Amino acid sequence: PAVKTIQDCWVMVMLKRAMLLLVAALLATASCTSIDDHGGVPNDASNAAAAANTKALEDTLQQANGSDKVALVPAGKSYYVFNVESSGLRGVRLQIDGALLASDNMSAWPNGSSNNTYTYAALSLYDCHDLTLTGDGVFDGQGYVWWWEVILFHVDNRPHLVAMDECTNVTIENLKFVNSPQFHLRLSGMKGLHVRNVTIYVDIEGQREMLQKANLYNAALDIPTFPLNTDGIDPSGVDVLIEDINIQNFDDAVAVKPMHSGGRYSNCSQNMLIRNAHVKYGVGMTIGSVSPNVRHNCVRNITFENVHFDSPLKGIYIKTDPGDSGDGEIDNITYRNISMSSALWYPIWIGPQQQKQPGTKGTGCSFLYPVVDECPTQPRVSISNVQLIDVSSTGGWSLPGVLLCNSTRPCTGFRFHNVTSSGAFLLQRDYVCKNIQGTVESCDPKPDCFG
């Protein structure tokens, strides 16, 4: 039943995709309005130019929404912007063939979005329908100065790169998103989303240089530890297909966020397929984090398949979050045909989120678990019917994985089939495994706590 549900989701998304292709073909004959037509100032990083470009792109989108349908950022030019905001777009294609860059002058940015409807981002889109974001260009968040602010001063008011809220029938394709101050693509409350053939990149070498200058670089590990929360793609909603993606970001590659009964199009993030991905220096194809909520947080019917990780901190990652009121569920999650090489920390982690950003108390789960035995589990969020099928990890450094569920609310309906893990395993050669009910088939090593 789980596979059928995901297949049905895929068919629906592909049918919508076919409709959008037809619309795109019709749009190809439509007129186009360019940011240059509305006062855009290319190749100028000044605050005045960024302010002008912000208004120019907003005006371009509104002009496209009225008649032209295609809003163009032309090739061969770079446009610096602050927080571009638009809502109510219908049948618009935003074509980025040049470069959009988020201004890195933090003091000139507003403290938040101009309207509480919008999510704080370099590009915020709300209540849009039949929207395509495409082109041969790049969207650069210039995140370095924002990351430094968090590292040195524990001040975190970073914008996302792209934020969409409550949009339907959206396609994002062919673009490159780099160095976001925070999330690259935050796509919340969506219905009918197709992300394909995108690249997300965070400059690991640039991070290393930052840490060296601040005497924070760990030469023994030879890996960067910042920035924080530069997630790749964070969707919530219903009927989502994400495919053919390449991500290097040192945080969650794809993180499915929960929804609750307050959702416009769904009361649960569900019916999603994420497939055909290559991830380097990532922190997982992720569910969560999911905290309890009085309106019942929910993630269900999600499949990840055909994913390869190079040097991940985490590969398979399902995480709950602290909370003392309400409840939540994580149900019917499948990882199929997943490979990992040279996992730096945990190839598999199912349990509480490990997080402690500068200036915060964190979630209570130590980054050094199980060496430091501090990782309280969450009894208010159920985790059930998780399948790992044909999963392999080679060259791991620490241990095969952590499977950590609550003693009063065990994880149920788990199935591990042909899950193998090998490597130096400097901490231990078997799983940390607690409070799980399920079956194990053809696994090496075998989790020893499945009842």
Side-chain angles (χ1 to χ4, degrees):
V3 174
K4 183 177 184 295
T5 300
I6 295 297
Q7 288 176 336
D8 289 345
C9 160
W10 176 81
V11 169
M12 287 188 291
V13 171
M14 292 307 294
L15 285 173
K16 292 174 181 176
R17 169 68 179 164
M19 293 174 64
L20 287 173
L21 287 173
L22 177 60
V23 171
L26 295 173
L27 287 175
T29 62
S31 59
C32 168
T33 181
S34 167
I35 188 173
D36 288 343
D37 299 330
H38 298 271
V41 182
N43 308 320
D44 185 343
S46 69
N47 291 340
N53 290 332
T54 299
K55 183 178 186 305
L57 187 52
E58 290 176 345
D59 291 346
T60 303
L61 289 167
Q62 288 306 312
Q63 176 69 32
N65 196 40
S67 58
D68 290 332
K69 296 306 178 187
V70 179
L72 176 66
V73 177
K77 299 179 181 180
S78 299
Y79 299 85
Y80 293 81
V81 297
F82 293 119
N83 55 323
V84 176
E85 299 174 352
S86 190
S87 64
L89 301 178
R90 301 291 187 271
V92 170
R93 184 170 85 225
L94 174 55
Q95 181 94 16
I96 303 174
D97 288 333
L100 281 178
L101 299 96
S103 171
D104 61 0
N105 189 337
M106 291 186 297
S107 63
W109 271 76
N111 292 326
S113 65
S114 62
N115 184 315
N116 289 333
T117 301
Y118 296 103
T119 301
Y120 191 38
L123 176 62
S124 296
L125 301 172
Y126 170 71
D127 188 32
C128 299
H129 306 278
D130 301 320
L131 176 73
T132 300
L133 181 57
T134 187
D136 298 320
V138 61
F139 201 162
D140 188 343
Q142 297 200 109
Y144 293 110
V145 294
W146 300 91
W147 305 335
W148 266 120
E149 193 79 358
V150 179
I151 294 170
L152 297 179
F153 305 112
H154 300 177
V155 174
D156 193 353
N157 60 349
R158 296 170 292 164
H160 304 301
L161 195 55
V162 176
M164 295 187 189
D165 290 270
E166 296 186 347
C167 297
T168 66
N169 297 338
V170 171
T171 297
I172 303 173
E173 61 183 7
N174 302 332
L175 290 164
K176 184 174 184 179
F177 303 90
V178 303
N179 292 333
S180 177
Q182 199 164 195
F183 299 170
H184 288 78
L185 298 176
R186 177 197 173 278
L187 311 170
S188 298
M190 310 291 282
K191 181 180 180 181
L193 169 68
H194 190 185
V195 180
R196 61 176 293 273
N197 194 34
V198 302
T199 296
I200 293 173
Y201 178 77
V202 170
D203 188 352
I204 300 295
E205 292 303 318
Q207 294 177 49
R208 183 179 286 113
E209 292 173 6
M210 285 170 44
L211 293 170
Q212 288 170 339
K213 291 177 182 178
N215 295 319
L216 296 172
Y217 177 65
N218 189 324
L221 292 176
D222 191 35
I223 56 174
T225 56
F226 285 94
L228 298 166
N229 291 120
T230 49
D231 290 18
I233 305 169
D234 284 15
S236 66
V238 61
D239 298 340
V240 174
L241 174 61
I242 299 173
E243 61 182 344
D244 305 323
I245 56 176
N246 194 318
I247 297 177
Q248 176 177 306
N249 69 328
F250 219 77
D251 215 307
D252 297 314
V254 176
V256 178
K257 301 299 186 183
M259 293 195 69
H260 52 59
S261 60
R264 179 176 179 179
Y265 297 114
S266 179
N267 60 7
C268 183
S269 283
Q270 58 189 330
N271 301 343
M272 300 190 189
L273 175 60
I274 299 96
R275 65 183 181 185
N276 306 337
H278 181 267
V279 181
K280 187 173 183 180
Y281 297 132
V283 190
M285 288 291 177
T286 302
I287 301 294
S289 58
V290 179
S291 60
N293 188 288
V294 294
R295 293 189 287 184
H296 187 73
N297 269 339
C298 175
V299 178
R300 74 163 74 97
N301 297 347
I302 313 295
T303 293
F304 301 90
E305 66 180 15
N306 303 333
V307 180
H308 178 72
F309 295 91
D310 283 331
S311 304
L313 265 78
K314 294 184 176 79
I316 292 171
Y317 192 15
I318 298 175
K319 53 183 175 179
T320 60
D321 232 9
D324 298 321
S325 62
D327 58 11
E329 67 173 286
I330 300 169
D331 180 56
N332 199 13
I333 311 299
T334 298
Y335 292 86
R336 181 187 296 110
N337 193 24
I338 310 294
S339 61
M340 295 169 266
S341 59
S342 303
L344 300 172
W345 201 229
Y346 311 97
I348 300 169
W349 178 285
I350 301 175
Q353 177 178 207
Q354 293 176 296
Q355 186 181 61
K356 187 178 187 305
Q357 296 193 74
T360 71
K361 66 179 182 179
T363 62
C365 182
S366 171
F367 278 111
L368 299 178
Y369 185 87
V371 176
V372 176
D373 191 14
E374 295 177 2
C375 195
T377 55
Q378 174 54 269
R380 291 180 172 269
V381 177
S382 64
I383 306 176
S384 57
N385 302 314
V386 174
Q387 294 190 87
L388 274 61
I389 302 169
D390 297 331
V391 174
S392 66
S393 174
T394 59
W397 286 100
S398 61
L399 74 171
V402 172
L403 313 172
L404 192 58
C405 299
N406 186 265
S407 59
T408 64
R409 195 168 192 172
C411 296
T412 61
F414 272 43
R415 179 185 178 225
F416 278 29
H417 175 80
N418 192 28
V419 179
T420 62
S421 189
S422 62
F425 295 149
L426 301 178
L427 295 183
Q428 62 184 64
R429 304 200 66 80
D430 54 358
Y431 289 88
V432 173
C433 187
K434 298 180 180 180
N435 306 311
I436 294 180
Q437 299 171 8
T439 60
V440 177
E441 306 156 353
S442 304
C443 295
D444 183 24
K446 294 181 179 180
D448 61 5
C449 74
F450 281 39

